[in-house]
Amino acid sequence: MMTNQNVVTHEVINTLIAMAASISNSTVLPSATVPESMAVLGGFWGLPHNKNLVKRLEGAKVSAWIDSMRASSPTRAKSESQEKRSWILYHPSALNTFEQIVYSAKGKQIVVFLDYDGTLSPIVADPNKAFMTRKMRATLKGIARHFPTAIVTGRCRDKVYNFVKLAELYYAGSHGMDITGPTKSPKQGNNNNKAVLFQPASQFLPMIDEVYKILLEKTKTVPGAKVENNKFCLSVHFRCVDEKSWAALAEKVRLVLIEYPQLRLTQGRKVLEIRPTIKWDKGKALEFLLESLGE
Ligand SMILES: O=P(O)(O)OC[C@H]1O[C@H](O[C@H]2O[C@H](CO)[C@@H](O)[C@H](O)[C@H]2O)[C@H](O)[C@@H](O)[C@@H]1O
């Protein structure tokens, strides 16, 4: 993936991400939230990820949706120590191999990519209250002083910016469909006026707005359901919905999507995600940013 000579290897970046995640786990997140972070990073970095899940969701019966919703939202059957062990297996602390990292990074440009929810902020019931701590912001600011740093998230870019509040970062919101560069240099603090770099799903904006309004209306009878407008995509949260109502909620979403074959459904942690059927995702956004940064 990283062919540019000036760009550090995937392995090193992966380790940096793990390092950032381990910072977040040790200083901010209660240990019970570690598996949430693992799911987020796993989805992003190609760690165990059930592609069939997405296929099954599209056009599948509601019962299959419910199975997927359960599968992606496991109850705490495993002990916390078991969960921590499997987390560490895939995300070893970068500090244990720091010398190797420094060696591999020699002469290369290190770029840091981070997810937001469950990585920089704890997972919380209300998506509008997923605040990051001042300590995390200061750490992120420090990282951005040394390396180009990007936040790649399913969230609306403006919303995540309001949480992070650092103009010196790159942001790829809406699952990578809304990419901007820094509006402030981390070193000099001057405004270098970089704006939107790429928005491959602009033509879907009216449709996303339309479906947002429909979903708001259709889901209002399901207690706890929350529809979030992430600009180029939508989220239907079921974290606060009683499991008995998951089928009803999934059926409502399915019926709406039948009318919009240009949209597809994917699934995150206790959230159904609706997005345009374009060949673009967080991985593509990452490649796009690497190419821009390597120039
Ligand atoms: O791809 P991501 O950047 O990981 O975005 C996935 C979803 O993240 C947010 O939801 C998650 O965090 C919420 C706040 O902690 C939590 O309430 C929810 O259950 C999680 O799924 C975001 O609100 C969603 O729009 C994203 O789809």
Side-chain angles (χ1 to χ4, degrees), residues 36 40 115-118 121-127 130 152-155 175 228 230 234-235 237 239 268-271 273 282:
E36 302 277 6
V40 167
D115 202 338
Y116 184 73
D117 291 279
S121 71
I123 289 291
V124 292
D126 182 350
V152 187
T153 171
R155 293 262 194 178
H175 292 282
E228 190 180 9
N230 288 332
L234 301 168
S235 288
H237 292 271
R239 184 169 291 277
R269 294 288 297 186
K270 297 198 174 164
V271 67
E273 293 166 336
K282 286 178 171 181

Side-chain angles (χ1 to χ4, degrees), residues 23 27 134-144 166:
I23 293 168
T27 58
R134 281 190 194 167
K135 193 172 174 188
M136 182 60 84
R137 186 169 298 109
T139 304
L140 199 49
K141 206 173 169 57
I143 292 173
L166 293 175

Side-chain angles (χ1 to χ4, degrees), residues 64-84:
W65 286 36
I66 301 304
D67 289 346
S68 300
M69 286 159 89
R70 283 205 190 97
S72 78
S73 311
T75 50
R76 306 232 159 265
K78 281 191 196 167
S79 73
E80 271 182 23
S81 59
Q82 268 178 308
E83 284 175 340
K84 260 191 178 170

